[in-house]
């Protein structure tokens, strides 16, 4: 931590890097949700990005699905703790995978590298719309870390 | 994800790996907390392990400190999404760093590689006692992922 950090990236650079993270194949996101009782849950989940929304797959009985359905939101971390992408997202839809548009399922399977339809238990696809995205690496990037606000890319 | 995973580790192996993660120098944890209103928060924070508790430093005005003080708990992820260590922890104490035992502060500074006392704003040290720890890498390790239950190491 005593070494000199790299120069702070510009907003457009961060946005490009965030898009790269969102399109990463076979990557996981840390997904934080909260129960109505105020208990935090956190799990790693495969994800996909369709250009507008983050798509997750999870079992309908999981705490993640139940919390997101109750609160309508989640906070996700992509990347590593020293290459942070933090996404505050709102639930667009949570639908049984059989009732999800085929293109969305195909996009998920392709990017996640895993097909929930092959599992014994039924899965839901959760479509989450980012409303705020922050991106930073070291403390010199804390300033200017916001790249999306109110659902709009800033750069 | 189509490749064959490594053989599942034994409980004692996982426990040893968890302890290695807990002692990692200069590492960050993903810290998930929830507000009483049921909104999840998630940030990466430096941590230390004193053999019994996970120690974090954060500003008293931060959402993390306020959420932990209100709920008395947090859920932390150490390691990567394919080498998961998930810790459910209860708050032992949240004290202004000036009022914290010197040994605890020194241990934190040494392991985190960062001294919150050098910051302009005052910091709190949060002492969190793990009550449940799960560790897995691939799906073949989901079974047997519990290495601590009710605050006791299983192996």
């Amino acid at each position: 931590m005593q070494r000199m950090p790299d120069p702070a990236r510009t907003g457009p650079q961060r946005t490009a890097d965030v898009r790269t993270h969102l399109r990463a194949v076979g990557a996981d996101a840390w997904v934080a949700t909260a129960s109505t009782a105020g208990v935090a849950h956190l799990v790693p989940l495969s994800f996909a990005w369709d250009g507008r929304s983050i798509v997750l797959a999870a079992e309908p009985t999981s705490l993640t699905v139940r919390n997101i359905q109750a609160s309508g939101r989640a906070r996700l971390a992509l990347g590593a703790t020293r290459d942070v992408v933090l996404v505050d997202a709102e639930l667009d839809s949570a639908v049984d995978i059989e009732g999800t548009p085929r293109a969305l399922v195909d996009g998920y399977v392709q990017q996640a590298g895993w097909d929930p339809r092959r599992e014994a238990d039924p899965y839901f696809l959760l479509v989450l719309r980012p409303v705020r995205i922050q991106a930073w690496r070291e403390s010199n990037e804390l300033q200017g870390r916001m790249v999306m606000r109110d659902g709009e890319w800033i750069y």
Side-chain angles (χ1 to χ4, degrees), chain A residues 26-146:
Chain A
D28 284 344
W30 288 108
V31 181
T33 56
S35 71
T36 49
V39 178
H41 191 55
L42 178 65
V43 284
L45 291 178
S46 300
F47 69 91
W49 170 247
D50 74 351
R52 292 200 313 166
S53 300
I54 293 172
V55 183
L56 306 175
E59 293 167 277
T61 53
S62 65
L63 270 175
T64 296
V65 170
R66 287 186 285 149
N67 286 347
I68 287 181
Q69 286 187 311
S71 68
R73 58 166 88 192
R75 183 160 158 117
L76 297 86
L78 317 180
T81 55
R82 301 286 160 90
D83 183 15
V84 174
V85 176
L86 273 171
V87 181
D88 291 290
E90 293 179 353
L91 179 65
D92 199 57
S93 64
V95 182
D96 188 290
I97 206 161
E98 302 299 331
T100 306
R102 181 62 182 266
L104 202 68
V105 180
D106 289 347
Y108 177 84
V109 170
Q110 194 164 12
Q111 185 173 347
W114 169 69
D115 191 342
R117 291 169 299 190
R118 293 192 190 161
E119 301 295 320
D121 298 316
Y123 270 72
F124 268 30
L125 278 199
L126 304 169
V127 178
L128 296 161
R129 190 68 56 88
V131 290
R132 195 167 67 147
I133 301 180
Q134 304 171 74
W136 75 89
R137 287 184 177 152
E138 303 282 346
S139 55
N140 67 324
E141 285 199 355
L142 285 175
Q143 195 175 6
R145 63 186 181 272
M146 203 77 72

Side-chain angles (χ1 to χ4, degrees), chain A residues 7-17 135 141 144 147 155:
Chain A
R9 292 168 295 168
T10 65
Q13 282 171 333
R14 298 187 203 211
T15 303
D17 291 342
E141 285 199 355
V147 299
Y155 305 99

